[in-house]
Amino acid sequence: MVVCGGGEALAHRLAAELRGVYGEQVVLVVPPAGGGERSPSPTGRARTTALLGRITAVVSRTAGNGNGGGTAGGGEVEGPVPRTVEAAEIGDDALIDAGVPQAGALALVHDDDETNIRAALAARRLNPRLRLVIRLYNRKLGQHLEELLDQAAAVAGLDTTDATVTVLSDADTAAPALAATAVAGTSKVVHADGLLLRAVERTPPEPGDVAPRGLATLALLSATANDPAGAEGSDEAGGGAGPRLLPDDDAVAAAPGRGALVLEAVSYSGSAPPPGFLAGRGVPLRQLFSRRLRWSVAGFAAAVLGLAIASIVTAGGSPLHATYLTLLDLFSINDPATEGPMSRQILQLLAGLIGLLLLPILFAAVLEALGTFRTASSLRRPPRGLSGHVVLLGLGKIGTRVLARLRELDIPVVCVEADPEARGISLARRLRVPTVIGDVTEEGVLEAAKIHRAHALLAVTSADTINLEAALYARSVRPDLRVALRLYDDAFATAVYRTLRAAHPGALTRSRSVSTLAAPAFAGAMMGRQILGALPVERSVLLFAALDVSLQPQLTGRTVAEVFRPGAWRVVALERSSGAESGLEWDLDPQYVLRPQDRVVLAATRQGLAELLARRPLPARP
């Protein structure tokens, strides 16, 4: 297995995953400097040390509130260090030195899409049978690239059964977990070849209530998942209080006080009816004109109606003619009623006065309409009375996906970004999400985002120290704030978690690593099976894979109930080879015997998938 990622965090996580879980021989291609963007500079180390000193001082002042027995990050099983090849540029020479012509799979996980595409085209030319896993942020470009590389292998006249091309995005994989961390009880979604799999976190039912059933119970959440003092994300700490993946019915029944992650709904994403002809073409009146202006126009219309009725009562005539004369008087077009009766003269004077009042209303309407269209391309400021929202720090690749996920869940969000040209600024502008442009380390930026009235802070910038500093400052403003941090280093995350928990025992603190959440999906795709998606469960990951029963001796000739291995894998869907009906069956008969012609969708852990792929995992270090 060859992993090309330079100094990217995902590359090192992926190499450790392949070596430690699947027992594969791995070659890691890195730049000559070997530093990468995750290597801390001396300034970064000093800043981190100062921040840890601050939180340590806080803990020393709050001694007696409890010491850390948990961990913020689940450690990974790491095998021997893979062979390293240094290359300044991923060209033909670098790929040959890494052994791509003889390799079974190649993962291209650079942060730059163009670099990955050029390397993928060169690798396919060197080895048409190579299995490719490519990291791309652009979804549409990824679909076209898959088709192009598959056609290139087919044109060579080779058997392309294993020469698959899989395009994945670490941002798409990690976004549901990050969004769910900031807001308790949200659902998690996996998009899989036109399917939409939705898993919902269900809280423990009240005594005497019956918990609603779903398609399958995927995990039992930590007993302390929503407890600030709990060791969330650790399977070892707290006497097995961590998440339990793929439990059986007996395990679910034996844990009545723990929440569960249940596969609840499956739908086809392409089944929605097309929008109407005028869908999205209009502008809502409430956005074009303010409420005060709308009331002014309504009052003007009522005045015109009243004058028309008075004209009918005093002078007679038809309603249409009376309304016409009233409008002429309003716009000062009609002749003076010097020869008319006194009532007519009075009405004309009133109409002229109302016409004078109409001029500023029309002028205000024009200005507001122009202002609406002008501010449509600008960022909104947080409303004055906003509360209960999520403050999202960082609008890079990860933050953009998290913002889209939060808005899909109709969760109010205020974004904070230092770079006005960041990737997610255009999305925030299009979704009309309030955004504060400024450095979060400067005073007043988080206050502008209404952090004192927020429900949670979600810090997802690429710098651990900035995320930590924002969390510390937010906690100083509001000690009970729910905080979710994006932290790469597990040891650093553990120290942060323990100290913040001791300093603020009543507040919930969680940490997530994007590379840790995404690496299992990339590793599974490199093993040559169709990985539909990854579902984060706290700091663990469940994989969804589509497998042919004929290639799996553990599945052939056994019932669905017998195939189920608690903690390893579970059949959640079935595609039969015969019958008039096509498509996947999700409501399965436990006594159905799997045949070699069938195809199944499995929910599996990393170790379980490694065993299904006939790999022997390396023993964990003591």
Side-chain angles (χ1 to χ4, degrees):
M1 303 291 174
V2 181
V3 179
C4 296
E8 298 293 327
L10 179 58
H12 297 280
R13 298 279 192 185
L14 178 55
E17 185 85 12
L18 292 170
R19 192 69 185 96
V21 177
Y22 296 95
E24 291 291 329
Q25 296 180 358
V26 183
V27 177
L28 181 62
V29 181
V30 299
E37 66 179 28
R38 276 296 181 182
S39 297
S41 62
T43 304
R45 293 192 189 97
R47 191 174 188 180
T48 301
T49 304
L51 289 173
L52 283 177
R54 286 169 53 189
I55 58 180
T56 303
V58 174
V59 174
S60 63
R61 291 196 303 268
T62 57
N65 290 334
N67 46 21
T71 176
E76 294 187 13
V77 179
E78 296 185 1
V81 178
R83 185 169 71 91
T84 302
V85 174
E86 294 185 351
E89 184 178 353
I90 308 300
D92 290 353
D93 295 338
L95 294 176
I96 292 174
D97 292 341
V100 168
Q102 299 82 28
L106 168 65
L108 300 166
V109 294
H110 287 88
D111 191 52
D112 182 29
D113 287 359
E114 182 180 356
T115 301
N116 292 332
I117 293 173
R118 287 192 284 106
L121 295 175
R124 176 61 85 206
R125 185 179 64 255
L126 293 174
N127 187 352
R129 295 182 176 87
L130 185 67
R131 191 179 307 120
L132 289 171
V133 179
I134 309 170
R135 170 189 180 184
L136 286 184
Y137 184 80
N138 192 324
R139 300 174 182 174
K140 290 185 178 180
L141 180 59
Q143 295 176 358
H144 296 315
L145 184 63
E146 283 187 3
E147 297 175 359
L148 176 63
L149 293 175
D150 287 338
Q151 291 174 1
V155 168
L158 301 172
D159 183 10
T160 58
T161 302
D162 283 336
T164 58
V165 179
T166 306
V167 177
L168 297 175
S169 170
D170 57 336
D172 291 333
T173 303
L178 293 169
T181 304
V183 183
T186 57
S187 60
K188 303 177 181 181
V189 175
V190 174
H191 296 272
D193 291 344
L195 289 175
L196 189 67
L197 287 72
R198 182 163 63 101
V200 179
E201 293 184 4
R202 290 180 176 169
T203 57
E206 298 294 334
D209 296 341
V210 179
R213 295 185 58 84
L215 295 174
T217 300
L218 301 177
L220 288 174
L221 302 178
S222 298
T224 55
N226 291 316
D227 182 7
E232 182 262 353
S234 173
D235 292 324
E236 294 81 17
R244 185 168 183 177
L245 305 181
L246 301 177
D248 54 12
D249 294 340
D250 294 338
V252 175
R258 296 174 65 173
L261 184 68
V262 180
L263 183 63
E264 186 178 66
V266 179
S267 62
Y268 289 91
S269 58
S271 61
F277 177 73
L278 296 177
R281 299 176 183 266
V283 179
L285 186 63
R286 65 179 59 185
Q287 295 183 10
L288 191 60
F289 299 115
S290 65
R291 181 179 181 183
R292 184 178 300 177
L293 184 59
R294 295 197 302 269
W295 276 108
S296 300
V297 173
F300 169 73
V304 172
L305 179 61
L307 290 175
I309 294 175
S311 179
I312 295 174
V313 173
T314 57
S318 64
L320 183 61
H321 183 264
T323 303
Y324 175 69
L325 291 178
T326 302
L327 291 176
L328 290 179
D329 293 334
L330 286 173
F331 295 109
S332 301
I333 300 176
N334 206 0
D335 294 332
T338 55
E339 303 297 334
M342 183 62 65
S343 58
R344 168 63 181 154
Q345 294 176 358
I346 294 175
L347 289 177
Q348 192 175 55
L349 290 175
L350 292 176
L353 179 60
I354 295 176
L356 291 176
L357 297 177
L358 176 62
L359 291 178
I361 294 178
L362 294 177
F363 188 65
V366 172
L367 290 180
E368 286 204 4
L370 291 176
T372 299
F373 289 111
R374 179 178 57 83
T375 57
S377 60
S378 62
L379 294 171
R380 290 184 59 194
R381 299 290 297 175
R384 181 174 300 177
L386 182 65
S387 62
H389 57 285
V390 174
V391 176
L392 176 62
L393 174 58
L395 285 177
K397 290 184 177 181
I398 304 300
T400 303
R401 292 289 194 251
V402 173
L403 173 60
R405 177 63 182 148
L406 290 173
R407 293 308 300 138
E408 288 175 3
L409 299 172
D410 292 329
I411 296 171
V413 186
V414 173
C415 301
V416 179
E417 173 58 49
D419 183 9
E421 303 297 329
R423 183 186 298 268
I425 292 295
S426 59
L427 178 64
R429 181 182 294 112
R430 179 165 55 86
L431 297 178
R432 304 291 294 158
V433 175
T435 304
V436 178
I437 302 297
D439 188 354
V440 72
T441 60
E442 296 180 356
E443 187 176 356
V445 174
L446 283 178
E447 283 83 354
K450 314 296 182 185
I451 192 65
H452 57 285
R453 292 201 297 263
H455 168 73
L457 170 67
L458 185 54
V460 295
T461 70
S462 58
D464 292 357
T465 52
I466 293 180
N467 296 336
L468 177 58
E469 188 167 355
L472 290 174
Y473 186 78
R475 282 283 171 82
S476 66
V477 175
R478 183 176 175 182
D480 61 342
L481 182 68
R482 184 186 184 105
V483 172
L485 302 173
R486 174 188 173 187
L487 297 177
Y488 167 73
D489 185 77
D490 283 339
F492 183 54
T494 302
V496 170
Y497 170 75
R498 290 178 175 176
T499 49
L500 284 179
R501 188 187 67 179
H504 304 281
L508 192 65
T509 304
R510 295 293 178 253
S511 71
R512 294 290 181 263
S513 170
V514 173
S515 57
T516 301
L517 296 173
F522 281 78
M526 291 187 71
M527 301 308 298
R529 296 301 184 267
Q530 186 181 4
I531 302 298
L532 301 180
L535 191 69
V537 184
E538 299 178 11
R539 286 186 73 94
S540 302
V541 177
L542 271 178
L543 301 175
F544 286 89
L547 306 178
D548 293 324
V549 176
S550 60
L551 301 178
Q552 305 301 326
Q554 302 96 324
L555 308 181
T556 307
R558 305 177 65 186
T559 65
V560 173
E562 293 173 345
V563 164
F564 176 37
R565 281 270 306 275
W569 62 73
R570 177 172 188 165
V571 177
V572 295
L574 170 68
E575 183 180 6
R576 305 188 188 188
S577 58
S578 61
E581 298 182 359
S582 61
L584 293 173
E585 300 179 15
W586 297 90
D587 191 7
L588 301 179
D589 181 8
Q591 302 304 318
Y592 176 78
V593 179
L594 299 177
R595 298 173 297 177
Q597 304 91 327
D598 295 337
R599 185 176 175 83
V600 295
V601 175
L602 289 176
T605 62
R606 292 181 296 171
Q607 294 286 342
L609 186 61
E611 184 176 345
L612 279 175
L613 300 180
R615 310 286 181 177
R616 183 183 298 276
L618 295 177
R621 294 179 179 179

